[in-house]
Amino acid sequence: MINFDRYKIMKLTKVESTNDEVLNLLLSGVKPPVVVTAEEQTGGRGRAGHKWVSKPGGLYFSIGMRSKGLKTDSKLIVLTSLPVAETLRYYGLNPRIKIPNDVYIGDKKISGILGERKSDFLIIGVGINVNQDSFPDEIKNLATSMFIETGKVFDRNDILYTFLKEFNRLIDSPDLAYDRWVKYVSVIGKKARFTYKGNTLTCEIKAIDKDLNLETDMGKFNIYEIFGFEEL
Ligand code: BTN
């Protein structure tokens, strides 16, 4: 276990999912905030039951914290796309945030975030495609990496530390994050389709307010409760 800033960090080589590893550490009494990274995941999980391809070369980590209640946790899970986007920008990329909390370069996904609330804890898992030079056939047209975008190989420790510094800014001043976050979100003025409380809706996004409600021509919908968001 190493210390960086306020975090205890455990670096592992091959695990099923870093989200599970961090939960086990917290349940065994390790005090949050704690971070687990892995070189590779055999059962990397994405949102909505998807898998997250986690071959060597990517950065896979989870942050374990004490839960602060459903609303605060949900907001943090959505806004964690901000430190990811700021980190990518720091290394010279031009990211955008796709609702709810995916990070894209152009029309390809470079990072995904999976928040889970278990027991008294909030676990935020982040996958960033860093040095991969290719992806399996089923996602090769949908995914990109920092290497593919820039032709450069990056130090994943350095990226983790840059991310954690940006994440601290988010935790310490969540109210200041909205203005920075909304600039990365690329859907205002566009049409979108998504599922909300079991209904699939197609509408035009007019704005996003500070409580992270999408304001649309069909009403207001909170981002936390939206599934399958597609820009049209
Ligand atoms: C998504 O876009 O659907 C979310 C992907 C989240 C992937 C990360 S990688 C580290 C952590 N461990 C997991 O099993 N998933 C998250």
Side-chain angles (χ1 to χ4, degrees), residues 88 91-95 104-110 129-133 135 142-154:
L88 293 170
Y91 293 100
L93 288 100
N94 185 17
Y104 273 63
I105 305 290
D107 58 4
K108 293 193 172 163
K109 182 158 163 173
I110 194 161
N129 297 329
V130 180
N131 293 327
Q132 294 99 320
D133 59 4
F135 290 97
L142 309 171
T144 191
S145 71
M146 294 173 71
F147 175 77
I148 291 170
E149 294 298 321
T150 64
K152 289 184 206 152
V153 172
F154 292 86

Side-chain angles (χ1 to χ4, degrees), residues 16-20 41 43-48 50-52 54 59-62 101-102 109 111-114 124-128:
E16 199 172 313
S17 163
T18 53
N19 272 30
D20 298 342
Q41 296 184 117
R45 295 197 299 273
R47 278 194 326 273
H50 291 127
K51 64 176 190 172
W52 183 258
S54 309
L59 174 60
Y60 313 109
F61 65 95
S62 302
N101 58 5
D102 291 334
K109 182 158 163 173
S111 172
I113 295 161
L114 175 68
I124 300 187
V126 180
I128 303 178

Side-chain angles (χ1 to χ4, degrees), residues 13-192:
T13 47
K14 194 170 180 173
V15 301
E16 199 172 313
S17 163
T18 53
N19 272 30
D20 298 342
E21 296 294 331
V22 98
L23 177 65
N24 289 338
L25 283 181
L26 293 166
L27 293 175
S28 75
V30 176
K31 294 269 171 293
V34 52
V35 174
V36 172
T37 71
E39 293 293 312
E40 203 177 337
Q41 296 184 117
T42 54
R45 295 197 299 273
R47 278 194 326 273
H50 291 127
K51 64 176 190 172
W52 183 258
V53 174
S54 309
K55 300 257 162 51
L59 174 60
Y60 313 109
F61 65 95
S62 302
I63 310 169
M65 286 166 287
R66 213 167 280 293
S67 163
K68 290 192 176 149
L70 179 59
K71 210 167 158 219
T72 309
D73 290 355
S74 303
K75 195 165 186 177
L76 187 59
I77 293 168
V78 170
L79 291 178
T80 296
S81 55
L82 174 65
V84 172
E86 304 260 53
T87 299
L88 293 170
R89 204 164 69 114
Y90 176 85
Y91 293 100
L93 288 100
N94 185 17
R96 66 185 181 99
I97 293 171
K98 187 166 169 259
I99 285 167
N101 58 5
D102 291 334
V103 183
Y104 273 63
I105 305 290
D107 58 4
K108 293 193 172 163
K109 182 158 163 173
I110 194 161
S111 172
I113 295 161
L114 175 68
E116 295 181 304
R117 302 176 73 241
K118 290 196 174 152
S119 158
D120 279 342
F121 302 111
L122 168 63
I123 292 148
I124 300 187
V126 180
I128 303 178
N129 297 329
V130 180
N131 293 327
Q132 294 99 320
D133 59 4
S134 63
F135 290 97
D137 280 351
E138 65 271 22
I139 58 165
K140 72 164 189 257
N141 297 322
L142 309 171
T144 191
S145 71
M146 294 173 71
F147 175 77
I148 291 170
E149 294 298 321
T150 64
K152 289 184 206 152
V153 172
F154 292 86
D155 177 340
R156 283 166 299 144
N157 273 327
D158 200 65
I159 295 170
L160 176 65
Y161 296 154
T162 305
F163 169 87
L164 290 174
K165 280 188 255 164
E166 292 291 340
F167 189 71
N168 284 343
R169 277 175 84 193
L170 170 61
I171 304 273
D172 294 342
S173 327
D175 294 343
L176 298 181
Y178 168 83
D179 288 344
R180 292 186 289 132
W181 174 82
V182 81
K183 288 195 189 128
Y184 284 106
V185 179
S186 53
V187 293
I188 294 163
K190 290 191 188 156
K191 281 205 157 201

